């Protein structure tokens, strides 16, 4: 139901998380995730500072170092995941130090930033890691004192024997704890949430001081001895290959060490054809590319364009869909019998991720191995691409996960990683590959465009009786292009007696991929906007119409109608929806959406002034993401950032194709939201008795239709295509 996002799989994976014990280097105990099996420990030699597990190290002075296992892309995971361990370990957060782990799935399990899955997958397993360590420390202390472990407790990094008032610091006990059998993770006792001291308390991001003071932190900052710098020039038409290039002229430019053609292949998320330029200074190398002249074999994609796709979509809409996703009841009969019938065509464009830090990677190929420093969301997938391309094994590749200056799904792809590794091998030196902004905008894995042709039928009371969508998207041979699909449970599926979803596909020669709230970021706009049209046609309040459409509180697949009804009621109350006073040029709009296990309802207040000037005045957000907000400050930031992202997409973002080329090239024509356009975003979390879920994505989808619905309320103009065109209001 509206991108249910792996609910069953998340639950199953959480149950399968176990702890495996082994000897730490130099003594101590290592505990890491493993497949189901018995847990056992092997003794290690005592040391002054001992490793308790793969995530925790305790030193003599009481400092606790916790490794953060997942990539940090600005979502705050480097702070949040260690909070789970620290809470159950029962240490003072002020004494915790956090370090980024290497990419090592054999030791740390899944290390991916994507899908808002970090919280649901790690909420219980990582707490159990901390609880297991705490239990081992209490056992070590109990043995030292010759007392029952049941008489021991912990507080702020110490084990306490309350009857005798004795206590020992964790640092004194870590090595002894490593001699003990590791507990079964499934059996360790977890804290009563009422005793939480870290979870639920706002903590600043651990990297914040380095970020705001400009210290080297991101991939773009990496440097190693003997480093060279590279640019990689690809065909302006996707899939194009090099026929010839004036390499001698390029090599003659200042600072250039080498320039060569890379043959590459046909897989976009890999090594494609292009020209590499390598030198001692990136600015000189990037300048040298201005002299580069390449003759390209452009290929079939040169015939594709945004205008052509739009025309083809309209033509396909008049024909029978290529495939049916869902068919409930008899839509044709119900539409024919409807007291009122609506039809509308909606569309959204290709858009770019536009991460503020362009794609980059530092790689050093030497002695038959590769060491990589990469801002990546999916390091192990990158490792496999590099290994396949360079003829290596996974074990030959070491990946340092560097903080990403934005990801939004773009860095799930690792084309820049394999480019850097390949170039390093050719020049036999460490290489930092850095794309410029034009590279980044014109060689993305774009959010795919989409075209929706809706029909709806209402009875005399305004109740929705029939609903159909002919979705025209991209793909071939019945398979949608990446992120260009739609599930058969997209709302209002299962809530209308007669409903039909059909899909037709158009061949596509450009790369597409997930962008924050994949699929949902476009689908929410079209479905929630058209439902708003239906509500207005019925002459009913748009918010209450949605509640009525949801009906009785019940479970429909993975979707809980009661949870959505509750967030709609909450945003109604917080926004003052019932007391709004419609006036010319000012209006409020509402939308809801369920994705990535999160329930979100949002209200936007917007103003349209003379000349079509749009102002987003305020946004209210109500959400249900479960029982706990682990880091409230980080959570609020994630929701606000998602909302502002969505507003930016709606107001100005579009990638236009002409002759297989991307027209836009920088932030002057691919418009990001400016500070003076950013409204206040008021966030409310509804706490419920459900496991906590992620926040990086589900707040984005509802804001786009809520804004468009607000503009309709303000002007009477319905927005059916993005980005919003101010000329519509003139």
């Amino acid at each position: 139901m509206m991108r249910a996002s792996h609910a069953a799989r998340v639950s199953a994976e959480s149950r399968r998380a176990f702890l495996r014990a082994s000897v730490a280097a130099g003594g101590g105990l290592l505990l890491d995730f493993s497949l189901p099996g018995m847990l056992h420990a092997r003794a290690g030699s005592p040391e002054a500072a001992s490793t308790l597990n793969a995530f925790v190290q305790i030193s003599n002075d009481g400092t606790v170092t916790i490794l953060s296992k997942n990539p940090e892309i600005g979502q705050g995971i480097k702070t949040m995941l260690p909070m789970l361990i620290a809470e159950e370990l029962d240490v003072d957060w002020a004494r915790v130090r956090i370090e980024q782990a290497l990419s090592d799935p054999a030791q740390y399990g899944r290390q991916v930033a994507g899908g808002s899955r970090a919280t649901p997958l790690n909420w219980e397993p990582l707490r159990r890691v901390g609880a297991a360590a705490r239990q081992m420390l209490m056992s070590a202390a109990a043995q030292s004192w010759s007392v029952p472990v049941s008489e021991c407790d912990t507080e702020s990094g110490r084990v306490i024997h309350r009857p005798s008032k004795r206590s020992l610091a964790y640092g004194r006990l870590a090595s002894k704890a490593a001699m003990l059998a590791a507990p079964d993770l499934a059996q360790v006792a977890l804290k009563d949430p009422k005793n939480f001291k870290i979870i639920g308390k706002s903590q600043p991001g651990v990297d914040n001081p380095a970020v705001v003071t400009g210290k080297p932190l991101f991939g773009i900052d990496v440097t190693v001895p003997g480093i060279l710098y590279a640019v990689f020039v690809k065909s302006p038409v996707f899939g194009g290959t090099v026929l010839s290039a004036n390499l001698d002229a390029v090599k003659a430019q200042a600072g250039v060490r080498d320039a060569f053609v890379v043959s590459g292949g046909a897989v976009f998320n890999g090594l494609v054809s292009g020209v590499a330029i390598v030198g001692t200074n990136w600015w000189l190398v990037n300048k040298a590319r201005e002299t580069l002249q390449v003759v390209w074999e452009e290929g079939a994609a040169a015939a594709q364009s945004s205008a052509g796709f739009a025309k083809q979509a309209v033509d396909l809409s008049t024909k029978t869909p290529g495939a049916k996703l869902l068919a409930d009841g008899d839509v044709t009969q119900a539409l024919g019998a409807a007291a009122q019938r609506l039809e509308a065509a909606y569309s959204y464009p290709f858009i770019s991720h536009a991460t503020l830090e362009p794609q980059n990677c530092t790689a050093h190929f030497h002695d038959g191995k590769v060491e990589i420093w990469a801002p990546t969301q999916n390091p192990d997938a990158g490792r496999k691409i590099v290994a396949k391309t360079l003829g290596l094994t996974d074990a030959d590749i070491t990946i340092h996960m560097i903080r990403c200056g934005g990801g939004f799904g773009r860095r799930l792809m690792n084309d820049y990683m394999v480019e850097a590794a390949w170039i390093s091998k050719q020049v036999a030196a460490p290489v930092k590959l850095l794309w410029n902004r034009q590279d980044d905008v014109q060689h993305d894995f774009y959010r795919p465009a989409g075209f929706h042709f809706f029909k709806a039928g209402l009875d005399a009371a305004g109740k929705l009786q029939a609903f159909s969508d002919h979705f025209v998207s991209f793909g071939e041979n019945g398979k949608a292009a990446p992120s260009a699909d739609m599930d058969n449970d997209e709302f209002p599926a299962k809530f209308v007696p007669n409903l039909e979803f059909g899909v037709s596909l158009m061949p596509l020669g450009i790369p597409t991929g997930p962008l924050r709230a994949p699929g949902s970021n476009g689908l929410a706009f079209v479905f929630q906007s058209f439902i708003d049209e239906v509500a207005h046609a019925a002459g009913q309040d748009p918010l209450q119409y949605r509640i009525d459409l949801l009906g009785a509180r019940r479970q429909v697949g993975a979707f809980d109608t009661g949870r959505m009804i509750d967030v709609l009621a909450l945003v109604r109350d917080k926004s003052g929806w019932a007391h709004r006073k419609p006036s010319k040029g000012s209006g409020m709009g509402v939308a809801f959406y369920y994705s990535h296990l999160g329930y979100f309802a949002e209200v936007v207040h917007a103003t349209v002034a003379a000349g079509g000037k749009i102002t987003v005045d305020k946004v209210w957000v109500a959400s249900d993401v479960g029982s706990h907000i682990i880091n409230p400050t980080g959570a609020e930031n994630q929701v606000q950032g998602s909302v502002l992202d969505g507003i930016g997409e709606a107001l100005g973002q579009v990638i236009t194709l002409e002759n297989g080329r991307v027209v836009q090239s920088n932030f002057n024509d691919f418009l990001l939201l400016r500070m003076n356009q950013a409204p206040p975003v008021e966030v409310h979390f509804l706490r419920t008795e459900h496991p906590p879920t992620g926040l990086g994505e589900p707040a984005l989808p509802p804001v786009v239709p809520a804004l468009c619905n607000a503009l309709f309320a303000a002007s009477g103009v319905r927005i059916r295509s993005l980005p919003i065109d101010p000329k519509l209001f003139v």
Side-chain angles (χ1 to χ4, degrees):
M1 178 64 57
M2 295 177 291
R3 306 275 161 170
S5 300
H6 332 293
R9 189 161 67 245
V10 165
S11 177
E13 290 182 16
S14 297
R15 289 196 300 270
R16 289 201 305 267
F18 286 83
L19 207 64
R20 182 178 59 200
S22 60
V23 179
L29 176 69
L30 282 170
L31 301 176
D32 59 78
F33 291 117
S34 67
L35 294 174
M38 296 300 294
L39 305 177
H40 54 275
R42 295 188 293 273
S45 60
E47 295 288 341
S50 297
T51 300
L52 267 178
N53 56 50
F55 301 101
V56 182
Q57 181 175 347
I58 299 176
S59 64
N60 272 342
D61 66 2
T63 300
V64 178
T65 301
I66 301 177
L67 296 187
S68 185
K69 73 186 189 76
N70 280 10
E72 174 60 62
I73 61 173
Q75 83 282 41
I77 212 71
K78 190 175 178 181
T79 304
M80 187 275 282
L81 289 183
M83 288 174 67
L84 301 177
I85 296 173
E87 179 66 76
E88 296 290 347
L89 183 56
D90 204 9
V91 295
D92 287 334
W93 184 250
R95 304 303 300 271
V96 173
R97 302 292 179 267
I98 299 173
E99 296 179 0
Q100 182 69 61
L102 286 172
S103 169
D104 186 353
Q107 176 146 304
Y108 300 108
R110 185 179 186 271
Q111 293 177 284
V112 177
S116 293
R117 297 183 68 193
T119 296
L121 284 176
N122 292 291
W123 163 250
E124 186 172 310
L126 285 191
R127 287 170 60 213
R128 290 189 178 278
V129 168
R134 175 177 174 270
Q135 182 173 320
M136 294 173 74
L137 289 161
M138 288 195 299
S139 296
Q143 288 187 12
S144 298
W145 293 325
S146 299
V147 300
V149 71
S150 60
E151 294 182 357
C152 297
D153 202 350
T154 61
E155 185 176 328
S156 300
R158 300 183 72 84
V159 178
I160 300 167
H161 183 238
R162 297 206 182 277
S164 65
K165 298 183 180 179
R166 287 176 289 181
S167 70
L168 283 171
Y170 285 178
R172 297 275 303 276
L173 294 165
S175 293
K176 187 177 182 69
M179 309 292 287
L180 305 177
D184 184 343
L185 273 184
Q187 301 301 318
V188 295
L190 297 177
K191 278 187 177 181
D192 187 320
K194 69 182 182 184
N195 296 322
F196 284 167
K197 299 175 182 177
I198 296 172
I199 293 174
K201 307 296 189 297
S202 290
Q203 308 295 346
V206 296
D207 287 337
N208 285 4
V211 171
V212 300
T213 57
K215 292 182 179 176
L217 185 66
F218 297 92
I220 204 169
D221 300 319
V222 171
T223 185
V224 297
I227 195 168
L228 297 177
Y229 299 85
V231 297
F232 187 53
V233 182
K234 296 186 276 272
S235 170
V237 176
F238 294 98
T241 56
V242 178
L243 292 177
S244 64
N246 60 336
L247 298 179
D248 290 339
V250 175
K251 291 177 184 179
Q253 301 303 304
V256 175
R257 288 278 189 90
D258 201 358
F260 50 89
V261 171
V262 176
S263 297
V267 178
F268 290 123
N269 188 26
L271 188 68
V272 300
S273 180
V275 176
I277 307 173
V278 186
T280 55
N281 177 288
W282 185 82
W283 293 102
L284 291 176
V285 169
N286 194 50
K287 184 73 175 173
R289 74 186 292 171
E290 296 177 7
T291 66
L292 177 65
Q293 297 177 12
V294 183
V295 177
W296 302 97
E297 172 57 56
E298 294 185 345
Q304 297 185 335
S305 69
S306 294
F309 287 136
K311 183 178 179 181
Q312 188 178 353
V314 171
D315 182 59
L316 286 170
S317 74
T318 64
K319 299 174 178 153
T320 301
K324 280 191 178 181
L325 297 177
L326 181 66
D328 286 340
D330 189 332
V331 170
T332 302
Q333 188 277 333
L335 286 172
Q340 188 175 179
R341 178 170 168 166
L342 286 74
E343 293 190 25
Y346 278 82
S347 66
Y348 42 86
F350 296 98
I351 58 175
S352 174
H353 296 80
T355 58
L356 289 185
E357 178 193 27
Q359 310 318 308
N360 66 88
C361 179
T362 299
H364 188 193
F365 182 94
H366 58 97
D367 302 324
K369 299 180 183 296
V370 185
E371 188 169 10
I372 292 172
W373 295 261
T376 173
Q377 293 180 240
N378 196 359
D380 194 50
R383 173 186 285 110
K384 288 175 168 48
I385 296 171
V386 171
K388 181 178 180 180
T389 305
L390 272 62
L392 305 174
T393 68
D394 286 7
D396 295 326
I397 301 166
T398 299
I399 299 178
H400 303 268
M401 295 187 296
I402 309 301
R403 184 182 176 108
C404 304
F408 316 116
R410 174 59 180 92
R411 288 182 161 104
L412 290 168
M413 308 302 179
N414 291 286
D415 45 335
Y416 51 92
M417 187 187 293
V418 72
E419 290 168 3
W422 180 268
I423 294 169
S424 174
K425 183 179 181 181
Q426 305 313 301
V427 300
V431 167
K432 177 190 283 187
L433 171 72
L434 174 60
W435 294 17
N436 64 25
R437 184 64 62 194
Q438 183 172 342
D439 292 331
D440 205 34
V441 172
Q442 297 187 337
H443 291 280
D444 202 345
F445 289 77
Y446 303 97
R447 190 281 300 277
F451 306 86
H452 295 257
F453 300 88
F454 291 114
K455 295 178 182 178
L458 287 68
D459 64 17
K463 188 173 182 180
L464 187 57
Q465 295 294 334
F467 188 100
S468 73
D469 176 29
H470 186 171
F471 176 33
V472 180
S473 187
F474 299 94
E476 293 185 77
N477 301 318
K479 183 179 180 180
S483 297
D485 59 345
M486 182 176 84
D487 292 336
N488 64 3
D489 57 0
E490 190 71 26
F491 187 84
K494 305 305 179 185
F495 291 84
V496 180
N498 304 284
L499 183 141
E500 185 173 287
F501 290 160
V503 62
S504 297
L505 300 177
M506 300 180 286
L508 180 67
I510 76 165
T512 60
L515 182 140
R516 193 174 197 171
S520 304
N521 50 49
L523 296 172
F525 158 61
V526 298
F527 277 89
Q528 284 287 307
S529 294
F530 187 58
I531 287 172
D532 207 69
E533 288 200 50
V534 171
H536 280 277
Q540 298 182 26
D541 176 273
L543 194 153
Q544 186 60 44
Y545 194 85
R546 287 168 168 82
I547 292 176
D548 293 340
L549 189 55
L550 288 165
R553 292 173 176 269
R554 64 198 188 282
Q555 198 76 26
V556 182
F559 181 56
D560 186 326
T561 64
R563 296 178 74 179
M564 190 61 81
I565 289 169
D566 287 342
V567 295
L568 277 165
L570 180 60
V571 82
R572 177 186 59 202
D573 296 342
K574 295 299 182 181
S575 67
W577 177 268
H579 306 292
R580 69 195 187 285
K581 296 179 180 179
S583 60
K584 184 174 175 56
S586 179
M588 295 173 73
V590 65
F592 73 75
Y593 207 75
Y594 169 65
S595 69
H596 300 86
L597 305 178
Y599 295 78
F600 279 80
E602 301 177 16
V603 167
V604 171
H605 181 261
T607 303
V608 181
K613 178 177 169 38
I614 297 168
T615 301
V616 185
D617 302 294
K618 188 170 181 177
V619 181
W620 293 265
V621 180
S623 75
D624 175 358
V625 289
S627 57
H628 291 86
I629 304 300
I630 298 166
N631 185 359
T633 296
E636 185 176 37
N637 289 344
Q638 280 297 289
V639 173
Q640 291 172 335
S642 294
V643 167
L644 297 180
D645 256 3
I647 292 171
E649 291 174 8
L651 290 179
Q653 294 182 13
V654 58
I655 288 293
T656 308
L657 295 173
E658 291 182 2
N659 300 317
R661 296 161 166 79
V662 170
V663 173
Q664 291 74 19
S665 63
N666 211 314
F667 292 156
N668 65 309
D669 51 11
F670 187 83
L671 305 178
L672 301 188
L673 194 72
R674 299 310 198 244
M675 290 183 69
N676 64 1
Q677 296 175 293
V681 180
E682 186 177 306
V683 181
H684 299 276
F685 295 110
L686 184 66
R687 308 297 176 88
T688 58
E689 297 301 316
H690 299 276
T693 56
L695 273 171
E697 297 170 283
L700 187 153
V703 75
V704 179
L707 169 58
C708 294
N709 296 337
L711 293 174
F712 172 77
S715 68
V717 175
R718 184 61 71 178
I719 308 299
R720 295 195 180 100
S721 65
L722 296 177
I724 298 166
D725 184 357
K727 297 188 188 70
L728 292 171
F729 307 103
V730 177

